Amino acid sequence: MTHAPDLTLLARELARTFGAEGDDFRPLVGLLLKLLQAQGRGDTAIAVSEEDEHWLATRSWVSVDGHAPLVLRDGWLQFQRLWKAETRIARRLRAMADGTVLQADTPLDDDFLSAADRFELDGEKLTAIRRALGQHLTLLTGGPGTGKTTTLAWLLAAHLRADAALDFALAAPTGKAAQRMGEAIGKAADKLPLDDTARARLTAVTPVTLHRLLGLNGDGQPAHHAGNPLPHTLVVVDEASMVDVRLMARLVDALRPDARLVLMGDPDQLASVEAGRVLADLIAGLPEAHIRLEKTHRFPESIKVLADAIRQGDAETALQRVERNPLRLPAPQSLLTVMEAGYRDYAEALRQPADGPAVQARALLKALECFRVLAPLRRGPTGVETLNRALLQHWAAQGLLQPTGEGVWAGMPVLVTRNAPGLGLSNGDTGVLVPDGPLLKAWFPRGDDVEGLPLTALPPWEPALAMTVHKAQGGEFDHVLLVLPDAPHELVSRQLLYTAVTRAKKIFQLAGDETVLTSGIERPITRTSRLLARLRERDDA
């Protein structure tokens, strides 16, 4: 979040643009500062006192209907752009939900059901598919391992059986989440009851980031909007809990009038980095569109019990589960040893001679999915910058990595931190640095292959052996090590811990004190939003 002095200056500049003069200036700056601070926390509105409400109601730069820079309704103050974003989402998705039940329980034909039986697709997923087929808007949620993407693959198959030429789009907030979505659908494709034409249609659609789907350019203006809508009759967005209110507003603006929308995600994970709690508000405000999957298929029982305890705020059960396999690592060298052991497959791939840079890059990228170090903080003794530096320097001392510049080693993994559509890269994409002759390249997955891009051409990036939990959202790893700070911290929340635990498919380890874990479980993130209120205003002007 921006530091307070910067916010104060920004608040003063905003007040001047509103044309506030004299006595209006000082109280307006105070309210704008509160709004900016709230937005930095992820809130879209602030509650104002009765006295401030009366004062604001007489000002020309305040309205109740979005025709002024500030909007005041029912004691809540918002920036105009956030009020408009929530209003557009509410109006469009409320209308979709009101007309969503085309057929309450769409029947599935015998061939589809026979294939589902052979695949052992359970009744919960079949029920979800029947419901989603009959809806314009579907909110498909569930914890990791409940089979959301499997359900989606079979839902798409059902749509394609009815219309092999279905024009659909698949998207996610990050490149990593989009890649995982495509991989999961690709794995399921051969088992789906589709003819060759429909199966080819399914596998030909590559999931993309929401930014790329909407054609968002450098100045933030989308190519697709109400005046130039997306061509697709079905749009699916995975990891929807990560979508902030303004991006979701752009998406609903860009839908064609007859489009269907499927939003998938886990509302118990971390919310979007930017303001809003869109998925949670939609679930609460549009229950008729909500389908939740409960059966877990992926996790070992130990991870499921721990994740459920954290999600429910049950610190006692969570501590019991952690202490059955305690990991207490007070000494930096002990932590380094555990990190090195976790990355043994990656280190082995570095040691092995490879038949060309692309071959080595594929081996490193595959090994990188086996283990990941996560931390809540970026800086400090247990922050990702410190953890990355410690392991990289340790490997460099062993000769596994070759320094090629300050903070750059051949063989290290990198994480892209800014979208670069021209290079086919998105914020969150992970690659590895492998020399191609004299040129150091970053290699990224491209379907079943890899592509090498000159390091000098990349957008901003950072080392990726250790990642913040926020950056890891949307990813999955066989084994996760979570490194907590030495003392309770405001960033260590219930949602962050749940998100970290559920990144692990097989093994979860914790490095940290139980008081930090307990305080985090007892600290749920709460965000202030007016989207739910807007969803419930059916007769809104």
Side-chain angles (χ1 to χ4, degrees):
M1 188 176 75
T2 310
H3 295 300
D6 297 329
L7 288 180
T8 301
L9 290 174
L10 179 56
R12 289 181 178 274
E13 288 302 314
L14 286 172
R16 290 189 180 97
T17 65
F18 293 174
E21 303 291 344
D23 292 340
D24 287 351
F25 189 77
R26 189 180 299 275
L28 176 58
V29 168
L31 287 168
L32 289 173
L33 180 57
K34 288 180 181 179
L35 276 174
L36 290 168
Q37 291 170 333
Q39 187 173 322
R41 295 190 301 268
D43 299 335
T44 67
I46 61 170
V48 295
S49 67
E50 187 174 339
E51 179 182 358
D52 282 340
E53 187 175 5
H54 286 311
W55 180 79
L56 286 165
T58 63
R59 290 339 191 235
S60 61
W61 26 264
V62 179
S63 74
V64 296
D65 54 6
H67 294 301
L70 297 180
V71 177
L72 178 67
R73 290 171 70 101
D74 303 321
W76 293 93
L77 186 66
Q78 294 183 271
F79 284 119
Q80 178 193 57
R81 63 180 185 178
L82 293 177
W83 181 88
K84 285 186 173 181
E86 290 183 339
T87 299
R88 299 200 309 271
I89 294 169
R91 286 178 175 170
R92 180 65 195 271
L93 297 191
R94 174 78 268 171
M96 291 178 74
D98 283 346
T100 197
V101 181
L102 306 174
Q103 187 168 330
D105 190 9
T106 302
L108 298 169
D109 63 66
D110 290 342
D111 287 344
F112 186 97
L113 293 173
S114 296
D117 186 58
R118 291 193 298 273
F119 185 73
E120 297 183 349
L121 198 70
D122 60 56
E124 181 184 57
K125 293 180 179 60
L126 285 172
T127 299
I129 291 165
R130 289 189 182 100
R131 279 193 58 193
L133 285 171
Q135 300 181 174
H136 284 121
L137 173 66
T138 296
L139 310 173
L140 180 62
T141 71
T146 52
K148 295 187 295 295
T149 310
T150 298
T151 303
L152 172 64
W154 284 79
L155 172 62
L156 291 172
H159 275 298
L160 286 165
R161 286 172 66 86
D163 178 10
L166 175 73
D167 190 342
F168 65 98
L170 305 174
T174 67
K176 184 63 177 177
Q179 178 190 339
R180 279 187 48 235
M181 187 185 193
E183 290 171 350
I185 291 174
K187 288 178 182 178
D190 288 342
K191 302 177 178 66
L192 298 173
L194 294 172
D195 60 29
D196 290 344
T197 301
R199 184 173 287 105
R201 180 81 183 93
L202 175 64
T203 56
V205 176
T206 301
V208 297
T209 63
L210 269 174
H211 282 75
R212 189 175 302 177
L213 177 70
L214 295 172
L216 278 163
N217 54 33
D219 63 5
Q221 297 304 311
H224 293 286
H225 44 74
N228 180 35
L230 293 162
H232 318 292
T233 53
L234 172 64
V235 175
V236 180
V237 179
D238 197 7
E239 298 291 351
S241 65
M242 300 169 65
V243 182
D244 65 87
V245 66
R246 295 184 68 201
L247 185 56
M248 184 63 74
R250 286 185 169 125
L251 173 63
V252 301
D253 285 347
L255 295 175
R256 50 188 279 178
D258 61 340
R260 297 186 185 207
L261 177 64
V262 176
L263 300 177
M264 298 168 50
D266 182 352
D268 296 309
Q269 290 185 19
L270 285 165
S272 57
V273 174
E274 302 296 332
R277 54 177 195 193
V278 178
L279 183 61
D281 282 341
L282 292 177
I283 290 168
L286 304 173
E288 64 272 37
H290 183 211
I291 303 170
R292 181 170 178 85
L293 302 177
E294 300 285 356
K295 294 181 181 178
T296 301
H297 305 277
R298 188 186 77 197
F299 288 131
E301 187 66 15
S302 58
I303 293 178
K304 182 181 185 304
V305 172
L306 177 58
D308 286 345
I310 292 171
R311 180 173 58 84
Q312 295 162 7
D314 185 352
E316 182 178 353
T317 299
L319 285 173
Q320 290 173 355
R321 179 59 57 177
V322 168
E323 288 168 357
R324 290 181 186 179
N325 183 22
L327 181 62
R328 296 288 181 263
L329 304 166
Q333 186 57 43
S334 299
L335 182 55
L336 180 60
T337 299
V338 174
M339 290 167 59
E340 187 177 27
Y343 276 120
R344 60 185 177 274
D345 291 343
Y346 193 87
E348 185 61 27
L350 288 171
R351 292 188 184 96
Q352 293 296 322
D355 186 16
V359 173
Q360 184 177 35
R362 281 193 292 269
L364 290 172
L365 287 168
K366 181 178 179 181
L368 194 59
E369 296 304 302
C370 297
F371 177 71
R372 198 61 56 92
V373 180
L374 304 182
L377 306 183
R378 177 167 296 279
R379 298 179 178 84
T382 59
V384 296
E385 292 180 357
T386 302
L387 298 173
N388 272 310
R389 186 164 53 249
L391 187 52
L392 289 168
Q393 290 177 346
H394 179 68
W395 277 351
Q398 293 179 344
L400 286 178
L401 301 175
Q402 303 302 316
T404 59
E406 185 175 353
V408 180
W409 289 270
M412 70 185 284
V414 295
L415 179 77
V416 173
T417 59
R418 185 183 299 168
N419 294 326
L423 295 174
L425 294 176
S426 301
N427 184 4
D429 284 352
T430 303
V432 291
L433 301 187
V434 176
D436 185 3
L439 185 63
L440 184 60
K441 290 184 176 181
W443 299 79
F444 295 90
R446 292 291 185 263
D448 295 331
D449 205 351
V450 292
E451 179 186 10
L453 301 171
L455 181 62
T456 54
L458 291 191
W461 56 270
E462 60 191 29
L465 288 168
M467 302 168 60
T468 62
V469 178
H470 277 87
K471 289 290 187 183
Q473 194 168 358
E476 293 179 348
F477 314 99
D478 291 339
H479 179 181
V480 165
L481 168 65
L482 175 64
V483 182
L484 294 178
D486 297 332
H489 193 283
E490 63 180 1
L491 290 181
V492 183
S493 65
R494 182 180 302 172
Q495 288 89 338
L496 180 139
L497 293 168
Y498 173 82
T499 301
V501 169
T502 53
R503 297 312 90 204
K505 293 192 289 186
K506 297 177 181 178
I507 301 170
F508 174 80
Q509 289 181 296
L510 176 73
D513 187 85
E514 66 178 34
T515 59
V516 181
L517 177 64
T518 299
S519 68
I521 293 172
E522 294 174 348
R523 184 186 292 114
I525 297 173
T526 56
R527 284 188 169 184
T528 299
S529 162
R530 298 302 291 160
L531 176 57
L532 181 57
R534 302 314 315 278
L535 287 165
R536 290 172 173 168
E537 292 174 358
R538 291 180 177 266
D539 296 323
D540 181 48

